[in-house]
Amino acid sequence: MEILGFALRRLLVAVPVLLVSTFLIFLTVAGSGDPLTELRERQPPVPPETITAEEVRLGLNQPVLERYGDWLTGVVRGDFGPSVNRNASIAVEIGTRLGVTMRFVLVAMLVAAVLAILVGVVSAVRQYSWLDYLFTSAGFLFLAMPSFWLAILLKQGGIQFNRATGTETFYMIGDRSVPPPPTFLAQLADVAGHMILPTVTLVLIHFAVWSRFQRSSMLEVLNSDYVRLATAKGLPRRTVLRKYALRTALTPLITVIALDFTAVFAGAVITETVFQWRGMGDYLLSSINARDVNAVMAWLLVAALAVMVFNLVADILYATLDPRIRHVR
């Protein structure tokens, strides 16, 4: 019950923050340019009546605050407003593409977090050993790699591997095959095969950062007085590491992972571009090119909401790992 009350308090704090975020998002995108520029500059000229009708359809003929109120009311109902593309529904596009992106983002974050914890703990426990030097070198190597470059390297490596083996082990384009395989299990295998290289790209980039934080946090905890006291009392080494050291050392890593969600999401945009996925990254870039302001605002709102959800989850994990946090108001 304590954790539930703590989560509700954090949720109440998050609601006004989200409202402020929607207002800032709307002002930023609304002031970024005229979405009808291409229509106004088209040759031969478009009739003024057509431009006026499009302004009314998109709500551009209203004052900014009135447009914001109408947009926010629509968002509450699940309507993100009309798209520049009359044949597209923003809500449907966001729903479809968000599932595509989050599919490999969540898997990548989970795998990267598990690897970071394992590598960070081993590096701290065996400080200055050959394993520590190996993990440190690998970490700095991937830290120095831009995500788009690493994605291109992995894509080229997958192409060479397929050619050398005469198989299609790795998929380079899209999030699934077209047409899809006939059976459900074959479709799952196909989707998993398309996820391998994009997921590995995100895992390597963020695992490198998180493992360094975990190593530093673990070293600090291992040198603390209460861990030394537990060791001096004769407790088994595994018990000291698992019950006293690791639990405390995980809190800073949770902070980093929660704050890094925006970086992972941004890396997913780049990775999707390299592997030509029809996810949130592709939708953002195509919406910007089309000056589709409502689509861009919907994308930013979903990203802001996802960040807040991850921070709320991080707060709950804090309270679980450290009971003292539950009583902080």
Side-chain angles (χ1 to χ4, degrees), residues 122-124 126-137 212 215:
V122 171
S123 295
R126 301 190 178 183
Q127 188 181 17
Y128 303 134
S129 67
W130 68 269
L131 274 176
D132 185 23
Y133 287 123
L134 176 64
F135 291 144
T136 299
S137 301
R212 304 310 300 163
R215 178 183 182 274

